[in-house]
């Protein structure tokens, strides 16, 4: 019996603070003006993509004590942008990264419930944690949490927001003009409590009715009435982007989709099998979690032309200055005196605790800087590579390169081979970098019958093939303390 043909999920990532973005290209537009976000989102919707995704950084990156300005620096607040995009799109999902380490459940729940209302059920939340004291310095608490505590807080954070979302079961607001009754359940209280009621426990911590919540654990001790009625989806779609064991477990327990960096066939299949294999112990089925790697692309009239264009793009992405900065992140030394077109430094990296590239994810990637430097030297010697040429090689290539037909075939083959359920596309030019893909690759996927020609539903859960949440659902995340206690 043949395996059913899978439908492909596609999303668009508005690239921000990373070296993927070639902001110096003449075709590149603003990363702040709303017109850029609107063009990008409307292109994705025209192509019938599932959603648009915005990442978020909570602090500007630094290197050698200075702002790292070779990439895009700064961007408007995620919630503000997504709320504005809700007004200029109709069906496209709106996903944003919001941190669970330096926010509070009540305010995040209010913001996502509001976005879901304003968009008609298109909100999604990428739940992330922050790992370093560098970011924490921007917040009143400062400091940071070790990895196990970060994910414990994130799980409790998510459970708390779910309790807030589900404190309204749906249908309580009747707004009966004749009787003068607005909320059907009279135990929900009235508006006299005001916005401060969420923190008011003067009634002894007991309550009932629409909006009532009470959550008490080692991280959060809150009770009151949640002031945003149940939204169209009930809760936002939950995304997760961690690749560690804890991150994968968090996704298997609680997420609807997981972002992945594994965009090659073999790595993608291994990651797919691993994460999908974790679902059963949380009482979940394989179709309840989507695997969506980030992917870059370069298109050409021929495959050879596309390969040449891809090389040009990589050289734009990795300038001589950028190559030196990347090398510094491994060496943990000032290498500004080195020629990017010359050989790698003969001096070894400084594996000290104080990094010159504070807040950079790459710092965590280099678990053993001396071993990585040895690997880089061997590769550079064998292939006669300069610093810049080496950095081009080791910092990633485009995922899909070729004609539209080649790229469409490759994307489909990856999905059908269970290397992913689709891809989150990251163009190197904004806001117009998605246009060619929408005009040339998407129609070929539609012709194959593996991608929608029209939206079939109005909510993001419907786009992703996720079952709707039952009205009044009060289920805790599968891996949360509450869910474990109930099992």
């Amino acid at each position: 019996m043949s395996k059913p043909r899978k439908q492909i999920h596609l999303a668009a990532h508005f690239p921000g603070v990373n070296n993927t973005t070639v902001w110096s290209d003449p075709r590149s537009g603003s990363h702040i003006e709303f017109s850029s976000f609107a063009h990008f989102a409307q292109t994705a919707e025209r192509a019938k993509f599932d959603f648009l995704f915005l990442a978020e950084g909570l602090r500007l990156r630094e290197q050698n004590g200075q702002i790292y300005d070779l990439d895009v620096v700064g961007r408007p607040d995620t919630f503000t942008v997504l709320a504005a995009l809700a007004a200029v799109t109709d069906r496209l999902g709106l996903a944003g990264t919001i941190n669970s380490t330096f926010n509070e459940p009540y305010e995040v729940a209010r913001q996502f419930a509001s976005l879901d209302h304003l968009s008609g059920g298109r909100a999604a939340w990428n739940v992330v944690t922050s790992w370093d004291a560098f970011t924490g310095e921007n917040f009143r608490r400062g400091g940071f949490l070790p990895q196990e505590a970060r994910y414990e807080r994130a799980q409790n954070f998510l459970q708390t927001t779910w309790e807030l979302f589900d404190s309204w079961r749906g249908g309580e607001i009747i707004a009966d003009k004749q009787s003068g009754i607005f909320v059907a359940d009279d135990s929900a209280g009235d508006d006299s409590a005001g916005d401060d009621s969420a923190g008011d426990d003067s009634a002894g911590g007991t309550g009932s009715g629409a909006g009532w919540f009470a959550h008490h654990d080692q991280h959060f001790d809150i009770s009151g009435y949640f002031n945003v009625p149940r939204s169209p989806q009930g809760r936002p779609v939950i995304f997760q982007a961690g690749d560690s064991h804890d991150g994968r477990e968090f996704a298997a327990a609680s997420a609807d989709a997981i972002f992945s960096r594994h965009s090659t066939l073999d790595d993608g299949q291994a990651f797919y099998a691993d994460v999908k294999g974790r679902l059963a112990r949380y009482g979940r089925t394989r179709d309840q979690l989507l695997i969506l790697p980030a992917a870059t692309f370069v298109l050409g009239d021929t495959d050879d032309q596309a390969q040449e264009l891809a090389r040009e793009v990589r050289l734009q992405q990795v300038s001589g200055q950028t190559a030196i900065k990347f090398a510094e992140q491994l060496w943990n030394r000032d290498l500004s005196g080195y020629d990017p077109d010359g050989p790698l430094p003969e001096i070894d990296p400084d594996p000290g605790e104080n990094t010159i590239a504070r807040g950079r994810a790459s710092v965590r990637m280099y678990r053993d800087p001396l071993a990585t430097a040895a690997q880089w030297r061997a590769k550079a010697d064998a292939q006669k590579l300069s610093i810049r040429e080496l950095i081009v090689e080791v910092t990633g290539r485009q995922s899909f390169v070729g004609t539209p037909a080649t790229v469409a075939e490759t994307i489909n083959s990856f999905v059908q081979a269970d290397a992913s359920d689709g891809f989150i596309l990251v163009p190197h030019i904004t806001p117009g970098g998605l246009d060619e893909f929408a005009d040339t690759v998407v129609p070929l996927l539609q012709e194959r019958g593996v991608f929608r020609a029209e939206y079939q539903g109005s909510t993001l859960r419907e786009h992703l093939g996720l079952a709707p949440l039952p009205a009044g659902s009060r289920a805790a995340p599968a891996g949360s303390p509450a869910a474990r206690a109930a099992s």
Side-chain angles (χ1 to χ4, degrees):
M1 182 175 178
S2 62
K3 180 181 175 182
R5 184 168 55 178
K6 293 167 61 178
Q7 289 294 299
I8 295 170
H9 295 282
L10 292 177
H13 177 194
F14 189 102
V17 185
N18 54 61
N19 78 304
T20 300
T21 310
V22 184
W23 59 264
S24 58
D25 190 291
R27 298 168 294 168
S28 186
S30 172
H31 283 72
I32 295 177
E33 294 176 4
F34 181 65
S35 59
S36 290
F37 294 99
H39 177 102
F40 193 78
Q42 289 168 344
T43 300
E45 185 167 75
R46 171 168 60 82
K48 314 305 178 187
F49 278 28
D50 292 63
F51 61 91
L52 171 144
F53 170 64
L54 289 182
E56 184 172 69
L58 295 179
R59 177 165 177 166
L60 296 181
R61 296 182 301 183
E62 299 176 15
Q63 193 152 328
N64 290 317
Q66 298 179 334
I67 292 175
Y68 185 90
D69 64 352
L70 297 179
D71 294 346
V72 173
V73 175
R75 193 171 66 188
D77 171 71
T78 293
F79 272 121
T80 306
V81 173
L82 294 179
L85 289 176
V88 298
T89 56
D90 296 314
R91 299 292 185 88
L92 184 70
L94 302 169
T97 297
I98 297 296
N99 190 284
S100 64
T101 305
F102 299 116
N103 283 301
E104 295 298 327
Y106 188 86
E107 63 182 351
V108 169
R110 288 184 70 228
Q111 290 167 315
F112 271 114
S114 298
L115 178 62
D116 205 48
H117 274 294
L118 294 174
S119 65
R122 296 184 281 140
W125 173 16
N126 180 34
V127 184
V128 298
T129 66
S130 282
W131 62 277
D132 63 320
F134 171 75
T135 300
E137 291 171 356
N138 270 9
F139 296 86
R140 64 185 181 277
R141 289 184 299 276
F144 66 104
L145 296 171
Q147 179 163 315
E148 63 276 9
R150 285 191 290 117
Y151 278 103
E152 179 185 32
R153 177 185 165 91
Q155 192 68 68
N156 281 277
F157 192 111
L158 186 59
Q159 177 185 333
T160 307
T161 61
W162 281 24
E163 292 170 11
L164 291 164
F165 294 132
D166 295 342
S167 64
W168 290 79
R169 295 174 178 253
E172 292 94 338
I173 294 180
I174 58 173
D176 189 321
K177 293 181 173 62
Q178 289 187 334
S179 67
I181 297 175
F182 192 83
V183 178
D185 187 347
D186 61 6
S187 67
D190 57 37
D191 289 341
S192 63
D195 289 342
D196 293 332
S197 63
D200 183 2
D201 206 16
S202 59
T206 60
S208 63
W212 170 254
F213 68 92
H215 183 97
H216 309 286
D217 64 32
Q218 67 271 38
H219 295 283
F220 309 109
D221 186 9
I222 59 176
S223 62
Y225 287 102
F226 187 51
N227 65 351
V228 183
R230 191 169 183 85
S231 69
Q233 292 187 121
R235 312 169 195 145
V237 172
I238 301 298
F239 294 115
Q240 204 275 334
D243 192 40
S244 65
H245 169 78
D246 289 338
R248 297 182 188 200
E249 285 296 306
F250 183 87
S254 307
D256 299 305
I258 182 169
F259 296 153
S260 159
R261 60 183 175 82
H262 303 284
S263 58
T264 64
L265 182 61
D266 290 343
D267 286 350
Q269 287 177 319
F271 181 83
Y272 191 98
D274 176 83
V275 175
K276 295 274 188 175
R278 298 171 188 245
L279 292 167
R281 60 175 168 265
Y282 295 104
R284 306 181 70 196
T285 57
R286 291 170 66 87
D287 61 346
Q288 291 180 305
L289 177 68
L290 300 177
I291 311 295
L292 301 172
T296 54
F297 62 91
V298 175
L299 301 172
D301 293 334
T302 66
D303 288 345
D304 288 342
Q305 182 195 48
Q307 291 291 346
E308 183 58 35
L309 289 173
R311 174 169 173 76
E312 292 176 10
V313 170
R314 289 298 291 141
L315 291 175
Q316 284 182 298
Q317 291 171 327
V318 184
S319 66
Q321 290 175 291
T322 299
I324 293 296
K325 293 296 186 183
F326 267 96
E328 287 182 344
Q329 291 163 27
L330 174 62
W331 260 261
N332 200 26
R333 299 177 183 275
D334 181 355
L335 302 179
S336 58
Y338 284 80
D339 180 0
D341 294 319
L344 288 172
E346 294 183 2
I347 190 172
D348 284 332
D350 178 1
E353 291 292 327
N354 296 319
T355 174
I356 67 170
R358 301 175 68 200
R360 293 298 294 255
S362 59
V363 173
R364 290 177 293 165
M365 292 172 56
Y366 304 137
R367 302 292 186 184
D368 186 343
L370 293 174
T372 302
Q375 294 170 0
W376 285 14
R377 286 192 181 108
K379 185 178 183 68
D381 290 344
Q383 300 181 29
K384 305 293 188 267
L385 300 176
S386 66
I387 294 176
R388 185 185 183 193
E389 290 169 333
L390 176 75
I391 297 300
V392 166
E393 291 290 321
V394 301
T395 57
R397 294 174 173 271
Q398 291 84 3
S399 308
F400 303 118
V401 177
T403 64
T406 297
V407 170
E409 168 60 28
T410 306
I411 287 175
N412 185 47
S413 66
F414 274 45
V415 172
Q416 305 308 329
D418 286 343
S420 76
D421 293 308
F423 292 93
I424 300 171
L425 299 173
V426 190
H428 65 278
I429 298 292
T430 54
L434 195 63
D435 294 18
E436 185 179 9
F437 188 98
D439 293 334
T440 62
V441 179
V442 168
L444 297 177
L445 294 173
Q446 292 169 333
E447 288 177 9
R448 290 172 176 266
V450 294
F451 188 69
R452 69 172 68 86
E454 294 292 341
Y455 290 109
Q456 299 301 308
S458 59
T459 70
L460 180 54
R461 292 192 71 86
E462 290 174 305
H463 300 345
L464 296 173
L466 300 170
L469 296 174
S473 172
R474 289 179 179 266
S480 67
R484 291 196 299 267
S487 62

